[in-house]
């Protein structure tokens, strides 16, 4: 009977030790995931800020280009008027210069709109990457906690071990 009691005690102690180790492992996994998530958030914010800064620079550059094209168009029109010509040809030349400047400004505006749409796509991509990494961290945490044996299963295994030992005697 002492052999059975010793076997049960060893089995119970072993099961509880395994449970304790699994709990410690799950807690370590959780803490590592928290640190990884903080790093992930910092990285996401830095990437988002860099993307926003790039769009801001593109907008500034586009505004400067628009202004330059407007000034260029006005200079051309001024040169046409300064040539002291009159009539239909001058009007046609002025309209052509104005049209060319407007086309240039429109091309710049379209490029800016495209950059804005690309910014939105880039941010969505960053968010998707962040969410995928978060889901992976959560999955790791869930797996670690699922590896913890329940007290019921430890007690059942201990009882089964005791019965096997008793039956073997």
């Amino acid at each position: 009977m002492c052999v059975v009691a010793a076997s049960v005690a060893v089995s119970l102690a072993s099961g509880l030790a395994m449970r304790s180790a699994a709990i410690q492992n799950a807690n370590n996994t959780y803490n590592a995931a928290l640190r990884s998530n903080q790093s992930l958030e910092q990285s996401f914010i830095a990437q988002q800020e860099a993307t926003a800064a790039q769009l801001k620079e593109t907008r500034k550059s586009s505004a400067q280009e628009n202004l330059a094209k407007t000034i260029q168009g006005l200079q051309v029109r001024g040169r046409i008027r300064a040539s002291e010509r009159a009539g239909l040809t001058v009007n046609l030349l002025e309209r052509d210069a104005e049209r060319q400047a407007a086309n240039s400004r429109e091309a710049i505006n379209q490029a800016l709109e495209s950059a804005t749409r690309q910014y939105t796509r880039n941010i969505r991509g960053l968010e998707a990457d962040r969410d995928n990494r978060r889901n992976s961290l959560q999955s790791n945490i869930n797996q670690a906690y699922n590896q913890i044996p329940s007290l019921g299963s430890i007690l059942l295994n201990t009882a089964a071990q005791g019965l096997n030992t008793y039956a073997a005697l």
Side-chain angles (χ1 to χ4, degrees):
M1 198 58 141
C2 285
V3 173
V4 174
S7 174
V8 168
V10 168
S11 179
L12 181 61
S14 174
L16 291 175
M18 287 175 44
R19 177 179 164 78
S20 178
I23 288 172
Q24 184 61 42
N25 182 42
N27 288 338
N28 289 343
T29 300
Y30 175 78
N31 289 330
L34 282 179
R35 288 188 301 276
S36 293
N37 190 51
Q38 288 171 345
S39 174
L40 176 70
E41 281 298 320
Q42 290 170 349
S43 173
F44 172 74
I45 290 169
Q47 289 174 327
Q48 191 176 27
E49 287 174 351
T51 304
Q54 184 180 17
L55 178 62
K56 184 178 180 181
E57 290 301 317
T58 301
R59 285 181 175 160
K60 282 182 183 178
S61 175
S62 294
Q64 289 173 345
E65 287 179 44
N66 263 341
L67 181 60
K69 293 297 179 183
T70 300
I71 290 171
Q72 196 175 45
L74 291 173
Q75 287 172 340
V76 168
R77 287 173 56 199
R79 282 194 295 271
I80 292 170
R81 286 185 185 149
S83 69
E84 297 181 4
R85 292 184 187 172
L88 185 60
T89 305
V90 172
N91 286 338
L92 289 174
L93 289 173
E94 279 183 351
R95 280 190 241 141
D96 185 53
E98 188 175 322
R99 182 190 53 78
Q100 287 178 5
N103 285 343
S104 295
R105 286 191 306 267
E106 181 60 25
I108 292 167
N109 289 337
Q110 287 177 359
L112 180 59
E113 288 174 14
S114 176
T116 301
R117 287 190 301 274
Q118 185 60 43
Y119 166 79
T120 302
R121 287 189 295 274
N122 289 344
I123 294 299
R124 286 183 185 150
L126 291 173
E127 289 171 346
D129 287 345
R130 179 198 60 194
D131 292 346
N132 284 340
R133 290 182 190 158
R134 277 185 179 169
N135 290 341
S136 177
L137 291 172
Q138 186 63 51
S139 177
N140 291 343
I141 292 169
N142 291 343
Q143 282 181 333
Y145 278 103
N146 286 337
Q147 296 300 317
I148 298 172
S150 68
L151 287 175
S153 69
I154 292 172
L155 293 175
L156 285 173
N157 287 339
T158 301
Q161 180 68 29
L163 287 174
N164 286 340
T165 303
Y166 182 75
L169 293 179

